[in-house]
Amino acid sequence: MQPVKLSVQLRKETGKNANNRLRAAKMVPAILYGKKEPAVSLQLNPRDLVKNMDPAKKRNTFFELEIDGTSRVTAFIRDVQFDTLTGDILHVDFLRTEASDMVPAMVAFRTTGRAEGVKLGGQMRLTMTQLPVTCPAAEVPAVIEQDVSAMGMGAVLRVENLNLPENVKVRLSPRQALVIVSGDKEKGENPAEGASAGNPGLLRP
C-alpha cells in the first residue's frame, strides 16, 4: 500500500510557551524520531492529520511526511497526546518507518455470520473488540474479521483459530478466548482469562 501524504513543517521554537502559541494558532507540535537519526521537531495542522488518514485504519495509517514541501520521510504514528477535557490533539510522535518494518498496532476485531449455537438459543459474546498485532507498516489491516457461522453451543474461538492476513501476528496467547457461545445456564460465566474490550476511536489506541 502506498503511504498517505501529509504536509508538516519544521518547528523552530520549542518549549511550553512556544507550544501554547502554536496551539493558539490551531497547530500542534510533533516530533519525528527513529532509525538512529536525530529527532526532528515538527508542527502540523491536526485537522489535516485527521482528514488525510485512512478512514478505516485511522491512526494505523502509513504516512509520507512532506517536511516544508521538500524532504519526504515515511513514518508511523507512535503516540498521540490528547487534552483530557476537550479531547483535542496536543502532540504527535512519529516514528521513521519503512514499508516493510514490523510495527505494533491495535486493529478492530469483529465477527461475521450467525453462530449455530445462537440459532439454537445460545448467547454469543466477544471478549475483545480490538487485537494487538505486529505486522509490516504498510500492511496493517483495517479490521480482522472471523466467520462464526459454524460455532455451536459451548464453542470457543481462540487466537489460534483466527484466519489472519499474511504477515500479521496477534500479540496474545494462542489460547486467548475471543468469542464464546454459551447456553442459558452458562450466561455470565467468563472462561476467557485476561479478556478485555476496547474502543477503536479515531486516533486513540
Side-chain angles (χ1 to χ4, degrees):
M1 179 181 177
Q2 293 298 314
V4 174
K5 293 183 179 180
L6 178 67
S7 295
V8 298
Q9 297 82 44
L10 288 174
R11 179 162 45 108
K12 298 178 180 179
E13 293 183 303
T14 59
K16 183 176 180 180
N17 291 335
N19 288 345
N20 287 338
R21 288 194 295 271
L22 196 62
R23 296 182 185 113
K26 307 300 182 184
M27 301 286 283
V28 296
I31 191 167
L32 172 67
Y33 58 91
K35 297 289 185 184
K36 297 182 179 180
E37 295 183 28
V40 179
S41 295
L42 304 171
Q43 63 186 48
L44 57 88
N45 186 322
R47 289 170 295 181
D48 289 342
L49 175 64
V50 174
K51 179 181 177 181
N52 287 298
M53 67 173 53
D54 186 297
K57 294 187 177 184
K58 301 174 183 177
R59 70 175 289 165
N60 292 331
T61 299
F62 181 48
F63 287 101
E64 180 182 75
L65 303 181
E66 248 183 19
I67 304 175
D68 286 341
T70 54
S71 60
R72 291 173 173 79
V73 180
T74 50
F76 198 74
I77 292 179
R78 185 65 173 173
D79 190 33
V80 182
Q81 295 176 23
F82 297 90
D83 186 301
T84 56
L85 295 178
T86 66
D88 293 339
I89 298 171
L90 295 179
H91 193 279
V92 184
D93 288 8
F94 289 103
L95 181 67
R96 291 185 183 90
T97 310
E98 301 297 331
S100 60
D101 288 349
M102 302 297 284
V103 297
M106 293 296 291
V107 177
F109 171 63
R110 66 186 180 209
T111 61
T112 61
R114 190 177 183 216
E116 284 296 324
V118 173
K119 295 179 182 178
L120 295 174
Q123 299 287 319
M124 188 180 81
R125 180 167 61 86
L126 272 70
T127 66
M128 307 187 78
T129 58
Q130 286 185 287
L131 297 177
V133 306
T134 301
C135 60
E139 300 176 28
V140 180
V143 62
I144 293 175
E145 292 185 328
Q146 181 71 33
D147 184 3
V148 297
S149 302
M151 290 184 68
M153 197 78 76
V156 178
L157 174 76
R158 303 183 187 277
V159 168
E160 62 188 359
N161 307 128
L162 289 174
N163 297 317
L164 294 170
E166 188 178 0
N167 297 325
V168 175
K169 179 178 175 59
V170 176
R171 292 179 285 114
L172 293 171
S173 165
R175 298 295 293 166
Q176 170 69 55
L178 302 176
V179 182
I180 302 160
V181 179
S182 59
D184 289 341
K185 293 181 180 180
E186 296 171 303
K187 288 180 182 179
E189 293 185 1
N190 182 14
E193 295 183 2
S196 63
N199 182 356
L202 182 58
L203 278 172
R204 296 182 186 279

